[in-house]
Amino acid sequence: MNTYRIPEMARPYIDYDMIRTYTDLPAFPDHQARLLHAFLEKHSKLAGYRELYTLVTGLVQLGLDTHDTVSITNDDKGVQAARSRQLKVLAGDYFSSRFYYLLSQAGQIELIRLLSAAICEANRLKMNLYLLMKQFKLTSDEYIRQSVEIRNRLFQSFNPILEARVYPLWTELLELITRCEVLLQEVIRSESSQHGRESWGFWHVLQRGTKEEKKLLLQEEPDQTKLKALWLKYKVTAELRQMLENSARELQDKLLSVEPDQWGKELSAIGDTFRGYLSGVQEMRPRAIQEI
C-alpha cells in the first residue's frame, strides 16, 4: 500500500531555524498535493514519478504563497519587520528554485517547462487582479473567482499529461478544494485586522456600503474600530463562513461519490479534513490555517 509522505519529504527544504525564529511561512499546500499525488498514482506511465512531481509542485506553490505574504508597502521600518520581509523574499525564491534542481537531476525537463509556464501565467493573473483592485473594478464574487484561478494555475500544469479518463474528476476536485482553501483564508483574514483591498470583505462592503462607508474604506489609514463595525454590519465573517460551509459540503459530497478502493487514502484524508470544517467552521481561528 502506498503511503503519502510529501510533507515529510518537503521538511528538509522548509524547516530552518532562522525562518522559524524571525518569520512565519504559509502552510504547505497539502490538500492540493494529496489530490495530485492520488491522480498521479493512477497514471499508467507517471506513477513512478508521483512523489517527485508532487514534492516539487508543492514547493513551488509554497514559494509563490510565501512571496504573496510580503507586504506591497514597506511602511514598517522596524528591524524585526525588515528581517521578516527579507527572509520571506529569500525563502520564496529558495523554495521555487528547488524544482529546477530536483527535476533537472531527474532529467524531467518537460515538467520544468510546464511549471515555469504556469508560474509566469500565475504572475500574469496576479498582475491583472492587482490592476482591477487599483481601478476599483472588482466585485467580491470576482475576487474569489480570480483568487481560486491564481491558486489553481500551478496544479493545472498537469492537465495536459493526466489521462483523459480522470481529467473531469481531477479538474472538478481541484476547483472545489482550492475554493475551500481560499474561503478558509478569507474567514481567518476577516477575523483579523487585515481589512485591506486584498480581502473579500473589502469588496463586499464596497459593493453594499453607503457613500460615507465607502469613503471610510478608501482612506489611506482608515479607523480600524470603524472598519470592524462595518464588517459586523455587513456580516462579512458570517457570509464567508456560510460560503465555506457550502463549498465544503459540495466537496464532501463529491468525494463521497468517489469509490475509495479506487483512489486510496489521499482523497479520504481530504474528505475527513473538510468534514471537520463542516462541524467546526464557527470555531475557526487564525491558527487553523497552519493545520490544513
Side-chain angles (χ1 to χ4, degrees):
M1 181 178 293
N2 295 310
T3 302
Y4 173 80
R5 58 192 188 101
I6 301 304
E8 289 76 15
M9 294 176 67
R11 189 165 292 120
Y13 302 99
I14 299 171
D15 193 11
Y16 290 97
D17 290 341
M18 182 172 289
I19 292 176
R20 287 201 309 269
T21 302
Y22 295 109
T23 194
D24 296 316
L25 293 176
F28 186 81
D30 190 48
H31 289 144
Q32 290 170 310
R34 281 182 180 275
L35 184 68
L36 178 61
H37 187 270
F39 275 79
L40 289 175
E41 198 276 329
K42 298 301 179 183
H43 196 291
S44 58
K45 296 181 179 179
L46 299 180
Y49 295 102
R50 64 188 180 280
E51 288 192 334
L52 173 64
Y53 284 8
T54 306
L55 172 63
V56 298
T57 307
L59 288 173
V60 176
Q61 186 63 58
L62 180 60
L64 295 175
D65 293 342
T66 302
H67 280 160
D68 285 343
T69 66
V70 179
S71 174
I72 297 175
T73 63
N74 195 20
D75 296 333
D76 193 338
K77 304 298 182 181
V79 174
Q80 178 69 23
R83 183 173 291 162
S84 174
R85 181 185 175 91
Q86 292 168 355
L87 276 174
K88 285 178 178 178
V89 172
L90 293 173
D93 289 343
Y94 174 73
F95 300 150
S96 298
S97 71
R98 291 301 83 193
F99 93 91
Y100 287 107
Y101 174 77
L102 292 171
L103 289 177
S104 63
Q105 289 291 99
Q108 298 296 304
I109 307 305
E110 177 60 17
L111 191 59
I112 293 178
R113 184 187 69 79
L114 290 174
L115 290 176
S116 298
I119 293 170
C120 292
E121 178 61 12
N123 288 330
R124 185 189 70 80
L125 292 171
K126 287 177 189 177
M127 291 305 298
N128 287 346
L129 179 58
Y130 294 151
L131 181 60
L132 290 174
M133 289 179 178
K134 185 176 181 180
Q135 297 173 340
F136 297 101
K137 295 180 178 179
L138 197 64
T139 66
S140 56
D141 288 344
E142 186 66 12
Y143 170 83
I144 292 295
R145 189 194 69 78
Q146 292 205 30
S147 297
V148 171
E149 183 179 6
I150 290 168
R151 189 167 178 79
N152 265 348
R153 189 62 194 87
L154 197 65
F155 287 84
Q156 287 173 341
S157 300
F158 293 87
N159 289 1
I161 59 179
L162 289 176
E163 294 178 344
R165 63 185 177 86
V166 302
Y167 179 79
L169 181 61
W170 156 257
T171 55
E172 186 174 358
L173 288 176
L174 180 62
E175 178 77 13
L176 287 170
I177 287 171
T178 307
R179 180 175 174 82
C180 286
E181 290 182 339
V182 167
L183 287 171
L184 175 60
Q185 291 182 24
E186 291 299 322
V187 169
I188 294 166
R189 187 175 285 128
S190 75
E191 295 178 335
S192 71
S193 59
Q194 302 177 49
H195 296 156
R197 298 181 193 181
E198 294 180 51
S199 72
W200 180 87
F202 178 92
W203 301 101
H204 175 71
V205 175
L206 191 64
Q207 282 179 260
R208 293 160 176 76
T210 66
K211 184 177 180 180
E212 288 303 313
E213 289 169 343
K214 292 178 182 180
K215 185 177 179 180
L216 171 65
L217 275 180
L218 299 178
Q219 290 177 2
E220 186 171 342
E221 295 185 7
D223 186 307
Q224 291 299 312
T225 301
K226 292 180 179 179
L227 282 184
K228 289 180 181 178
L230 280 182
W231 259 236
L232 288 172
K233 176 181 177 180
Y234 290 99
K235 302 178 180 178
V236 170
T237 302
E239 291 212 20
L240 281 167
R241 285 173 173 165
Q242 187 60 57
M243 292 163 62
L244 174 57
E245 184 176 351
N246 292 342
S247 294
R249 182 168 284 110
E250 185 178 356
L251 173 60
Q252 179 187 355
D253 290 344
K254 187 64 183 179
L255 289 171
L256 289 174
S257 73
V258 176
E259 178 57 48
D261 293 339
Q262 181 184 0
W263 291 98
K265 291 186 176 180
E266 282 87 349
L267 298 191
S268 296
I270 294 171
D272 291 342
T273 301
F274 283 101
R275 276 191 288 276
Y277 290 170
L278 288 175
S279 62
V281 161
Q282 71 277 9
E283 296 182 0
M284 288 177 186
R285 289 296 181 267
R287 68 180 181 83
I289 195 65
Q290 300 298 329
E291 299 172 354
I292 69 172

